Amino acid sequence: MISLEDLPEYLLKKLGMNLFIEEENEDCEKTLLEKAEEMAIKEALKKADGNKSQACKLLGISRSVLYDKLKKYEDIKI
C-alpha cells in the first residue's frame, strides 16, 4: 500500500498537498489525519470566503465542531 509519505515532494505540491510535506520548522507531532483535517478546514474556509456557516456545510460538520477544530489548529487563519 502506498501512503502520502511515499510520494515525491514535487507530486504532492502539484496536487496541492504540500501541507503533508514535513519541513524543518513544522511541528512533526501532527498525525497524517490531523494534517488532512487541517487542510480540509483551510480549503473549506477559503471556498466559503471565511464564512464559517458555509464552511460547516461544505465539511458536513456543526459550528461547534468547527470552532473546536479552529481552536485545535490555532494556525488556521480566517
Side-chain angles (χ1 to χ4, degrees):
M1 183 166 203
I2 298 173
S3 66
L4 286 173
E5 292 89 15
D6 298 324
L7 297 175
E9 188 174 319
Y10 77 90
L11 185 57
L12 291 173
K13 285 183 181 179
K14 187 173 183 178
L15 295 173
M17 297 184 164
N18 51 340
L19 176 66
F20 293 106
I21 302 169
E22 293 183 358
E23 299 173 1
E24 294 98 73
N25 61 353
E26 186 177 347
D27 183 7
C28 296
E29 294 182 11
K30 288 183 186 174
T31 66
L32 188 57
L33 177 62
E34 289 171 326
K35 290 178 186 180
E37 184 175 64
E38 185 176 9
M39 189 174 95
I41 292 168
K42 284 181 182 179
E43 187 64 27
L45 286 168
K46 182 179 172 184
K47 285 182 180 178
D49 293 324
N51 183 311
K52 293 176 188 156
S53 294
Q54 186 63 32
C56 289
K57 289 178 185 177
L58 291 170
L59 294 166
I61 60 175
S62 68
R63 279 182 70 91
S64 62
V65 170
L66 178 63
Y67 280 103
D68 289 343
K69 300 297 181 184
L70 290 173
K71 187 175 179 181
K72 179 178 179 180
Y73 305 115
E74 295 172 352
D75 59 332
I76 295 178
K77 304 292 185 229
I78 301 169

